[in-house]
Amino acid sequence: MKPQSSRSAPQSRRRLPFCCILITALSVLYPLAVICFCSITLLYPPFFLRQFEPLESHWRYQAWLGKTHDPETDHQLSFTRFQVESTGVLQGPWGSKVTTLQGWFIPASEPTSHLAVLVHGAGMDRREFLRHVPYYHGKLHCNVALFDVSDHGLSGKRFMNGVTYGTQESEDLLRVLEFFSGPKGHTFLKSQNQPDVSHILIHGASNGAATVLMTAGKLGKANNQDIPLRGVIAVNPFADPREEWLEGLQRTFDVWAGKVHPLNIEGPAPLPQKWCGALDWLPPPTVGRAPLPAAAWGGGQHEAK
């Protein structure tokens, strides 16, 4: 038995470095894998829509009242596509890349200087607000603009952009507002037989609600009077992105465990009539020096009241 023991000792010594390397590699790779998993899950949650995918057999078709195509197909309203360039807010080889935002412009039936810009939620696309277009267009007689934020719908993609919980989305919205308020917007609106905008309202839901609030804050902080923002409607905005991240991660685990549907939505959130007074276009306040007409409502634990 002694000769066998003497032969096995060198083999054990040869295996020891390999085991140490393996344990070290696993101790490094495992945390990295967990971090990557959590990051990708937060940026691209399970309910993330890809490239305007058809929704006839999707649960959203019912939730969005079947309005999942375009303004002309769903509401017999003519529309024009527009494009706006937006720069990434994150610095680095990918974050600063200029991308192109894609949107729809639905001109009012009569010339008007009022514009409603509708901002979809995380993982959605501009079709989320199609069911609200008849109210803005038909009852309030506004021009209506819907667009996809970066890395959503048909807008341009950036490496690991996904959902940024208002950070990139608010910059995208700023670029859209600058477009309609600037020289390019003047040319575009003229081609649609519409005058320059004098009143803009921004309306967002969920992550889009946080986006419109952040955008209004940025305009107020900069005292930007070139963009005639006159009202904000925020439906179910979150109050703390960190809480939203943790809640989103837990929801993802629950989805993969089969405990819940990707989004347990029984129907679309209605547009409360009492808040439509924000669109009555009262004498406009000075942006940054007076409060804007604003409405925010929700019911979640981490949603702004």
Side-chain angles (χ1 to χ4, degrees):
M1 297 299 293
K2 289 184 179 180
Q4 293 179 358
S5 177
S6 62
R7 286 196 302 270
S8 62
Q11 293 178 357
S12 300
R13 286 194 294 268
R14 285 195 296 269
R15 292 194 188 102
L16 184 59
F18 173 77
C19 292
C20 293
I21 293 173
L22 181 61
I23 293 173
T24 303
L26 290 176
S27 64
V28 173
L29 293 177
Y30 182 76
L32 288 177
V34 172
I35 292 172
C36 289
F37 167 78
C38 294
S39 299
I40 293 174
T41 299
L42 291 172
L43 294 174
Y44 300 97
F47 51 82
F48 200 98
L49 290 177
R50 302 284 182 173
Q51 293 290 325
F52 253 47
E53 61 184 79
L55 299 178
E56 280 74 11
S57 59
H58 198 281
W59 61 269
R60 278 193 183 86
Y61 188 80
Q62 182 178 1
W64 292 355
L65 302 181
K67 310 305 181 183
T68 59
H69 302 92
D70 59 61
E72 186 169 9
T73 302
D74 294 323
H75 300 299
Q76 295 73 53
L77 295 174
S78 61
F79 68 96
T80 302
R81 293 178 174 84
F82 68 90
Q83 297 181 344
V84 176
E85 289 189 347
S86 179
T87 304
V89 297
L90 301 177
Q91 299 301 316
W94 303 289
S96 60
K97 176 184 175 182
V98 174
T99 190
T100 302
L101 308 177
Q102 304 286 345
W104 293 325
F105 178 81
I106 306 152
S109 54
E110 298 292 337
T112 178
S113 60
H114 298 165
L115 172 67
V117 181
L118 312 181
V119 187
H120 63 79
M124 311 296 180
D125 56 50
R126 72 189 95 153
R127 294 175 295 177
E128 182 181 17
F129 269 95
L130 273 173
R131 62 186 186 272
H132 293 312
V133 166
Y135 181 85
Y136 283 103
H137 184 273
K139 188 170 183 179
L140 300 179
H141 308 291
C142 296
N143 295 311
V144 183
L146 307 91
F147 73 100
D148 300 327
V149 300
S150 293
D151 211 359
H152 287 66
L154 299 180
S155 289
K157 313 299 178 185
R158 292 190 185 89
F159 177 78
M160 295 298 287
N161 188 115
V163 180
T164 64
Y165 300 87
T167 304
Q168 177 62 52
E169 294 89 342
S170 60
E171 289 297 316
D172 294 340
L173 179 55
L174 274 175
R175 301 291 85 79
V176 172
L177 298 182
E178 288 174 352
F179 169 79
F180 282 107
S181 303
K184 293 182 179 179
H186 170 80
T187 303
F188 177 82
L189 291 169
K190 187 176 181 180
S191 70
Q192 303 296 310
N193 298 318
Q194 298 293 334
D196 292 347
V197 294
S198 63
H199 297 73
I200 297 178
L201 177 130
I202 50 179
H203 176 181
S206 188
N207 190 66
T211 297
V212 299
L213 293 174
M214 293 174 66
T215 302
K218 290 179 179 180
L219 290 175
K221 185 176 180 180
N223 195 22
N224 189 326
Q225 300 186 40
D226 295 329
I227 297 176
L229 181 61
R230 302 294 182 247
V232 177
I233 295 180
V235 183
N236 288 342
F238 51 80
D240 187 343
R242 293 168 298 181
E243 297 285 352
E244 186 71 12
W245 298 338
L246 295 175
E247 187 175 311
L249 195 59
Q250 180 61 53
R251 184 167 59 241
T252 298
F253 284 127
D254 290 341
V255 168
W256 286 351
K259 296 180 181 179
V260 296
H261 196 273
L263 272 183
N264 187 19
I265 294 181
E266 297 178 355
L271 184 64
Q273 296 296 316
K274 65 180 181 179
W275 292 117
C276 296
L279 291 171
D280 288 341
W281 315 116
L282 299 173
T286 301
V287 176
R289 295 184 181 178
L292 292 168
W297 63 92
Q301 180 180 1
H302 304 301
E303 293 167 349
K305 304 297 182 182

